[in-house]
Amino acid sequence: MISMAARSTTRWQFRQPSVIPGFGLALGVTLAWLTLIVLIPLSGLLWRSSGLGWSKFVELALDERTVNALTISFGTALVAAVVNLVFGVLLAWVLVRYRFPGKRVIDAMVDLPFALPTAVAGIALTTLYAPNGWIGALLAPLGIKIAFTPAGIVVALIFVGLPFVVRTVQPIMEEIDKEVEEAAATLGATRFQTISRVLLPGLLPAGLTGFALAFARGVGEYGSVIFIAGNLPYVSEIAPLLIVIRLEEFNYPAATAIAAVMLLLSFLMLLVINVIQAWSRRRYGYGA
């Protein structure tokens, strides 16, 4: 029988024994690095925002141009993340479940947006989708304009966000055995039921993680967007660009207010996504 003292020691034990020493030093370095890189800059932003005063902050945050830029940034990032979630899962499925010539090349191409400078991607996309570009010239007779509109911003954000969904879903998909699908088919499930009730629930946590990463990248993206967006106020002006404009105008309070609003909105949306992700992990298990 375990004594009360032993139970108390077990209950309040902070760290578990490990074969690898150095937990205290590693934890200290981790917290110090996280504080230096993340917490101090964000705290400085919030401290600078608090110096504006509540009425001034609300006035700057609710400025019509600021609200419009924030709406474009978060709206286009959300649309791009949803598109990446759908087609990213499909691409990961093809890479995991099928063997075909050139598979390794396509698999490597998924990581290209990670390595390519965002400004280069922006120039390339603008060249393609401009009214006189290869793709834009084909769409222009149909009355479809991509470059210099919010649709162009969505295209750029899809480009930079795709690897986040694919690389998050791919390893989880590899863990799902084909026998699970075969067992469902043996029990009489149709292909649609196998996908919707057997495969997709298991991929939901990883898919939401990729969605959150793609969305967060899209909200703060700058280099690949500024060329294709056209940067027209109230039409295709994104919030990061408006921050740069305010800084160039030496309007530091307005730039600080926009940055603080972006930080708060991003935190709230990621918090909601993480709560849903935690629920789906408890419900379905994969990726826990």
Side-chain angles (χ1 to χ4, degrees), residues 12 21 49-50 66 84 87 90 95 139 159 177 179 192 215 234 246 272 274:
W12 296 105
S49 301
S50 64
T66 300
N84 277 328
F87 290 96
L90 179 62
L95 292 175
L139 298 177
F159 177 82
D177 295 330
E179 285 76 8
F192 178 77
F215 174 75
Y234 304 101
R246 296 308 187 204
V272 172
N274 284 334

Side-chain angles (χ1 to χ4, degrees), residues 52-96:
L52 297 175
W54 178 249
S55 59
K56 183 67 175 178
F57 178 81
V58 172
E59 177 187 350
L60 293 172
L62 296 182
D63 177 73
E64 184 180 359
R65 187 174 175 182
T66 300
V67 172
N68 193 275
L70 290 170
T71 303
I72 292 174
S73 286
F74 281 87
T76 53
L78 181 62
V79 173
V82 171
V83 173
N84 277 328
L85 178 61
V86 175
F87 290 96
V89 171
L90 179 62
L91 180 55
W93 173 264
V94 172
L95 292 175
V96 171

Side-chain angles (χ1 to χ4, degrees), residues 38-53 57 255-265 267:
V38 178
L39 295 183
I40 290 179
L42 296 183
S43 300
L45 174 62
L46 296 177
W47 177 80
R48 187 67 182 268
S49 301
S50 64
L52 297 175
F57 178 81
T256 303
I258 299 170
V261 172
M262 288 190 68
L263 176 63
L264 293 175
L265 291 177
F267 178 78

